[in-house]
Amino acid sequence: MVASAQSANRNLKSIIIVAAGSSSRMGGKVRKPYLKLRGKPILTWTVSSLSKVAGLQQIIIVTRPEDRKLAAAAVKLAEGSDGILVASYET
């Protein structure tokens, strides 16, 4: 799921990518954001596409704590991935 948000600064355009699901309905051992599509994780393709959006200044990825390294590695493969924040959550 992808949701857009604006920070308190009305001129800062941000997008939040929620990559924290369990993928339980799909089954398998690899969660959907990290499945390979044409040799790259789906999250990589998502970040590459979104980094080309005109006016977008910030991309934030929210993931499970245990997937934080996977998310960071996927982001590193993306074009235009400088300055992307990968955050995890605790329940």
Side-chain angles (χ1 to χ4, degrees):
M1 181 172 107
V2 178
S4 65
Q6 282 189 324
S7 69
N9 177 351
R10 297 281 180 197
N11 296 322
L12 180 64
K13 304 245 184 319
S14 302
I15 195 151
I16 299 169
I17 301 171
V18 181
S22 66
S23 299
S24 60
R25 289 177 298 190
M26 196 175 101
K29 295 181 182 180
V30 179
R31 287 188 250 291
K32 286 179 277 192
Y34 313 109
L35 286 174
K36 300 256 173 128
L37 177 66
R38 293 181 49 206
K40 296 179 188 175
I42 291 172
L43 183 58
T44 301
W45 292 104
T46 303
V47 170
S48 291
S49 295
L50 291 173
S51 68
K52 296 173 187 169
V53 173
L56 186 63
Q57 297 168 318
Q58 186 178 50
I59 297 175
I60 302 165
I61 300 169
V62 179
T63 189
R64 298 167 158 251
E66 63 267 29
D67 289 344
R68 194 171 184 160
K69 287 182 182 177
L70 280 172
V75 166
K76 207 171 195 181
L77 295 171
E79 297 173 26
S81 64
D82 296 338
I84 295 175
L85 173 65
V86 177
S88 58
Y89 65 93
E90 297 289 331
T91 56

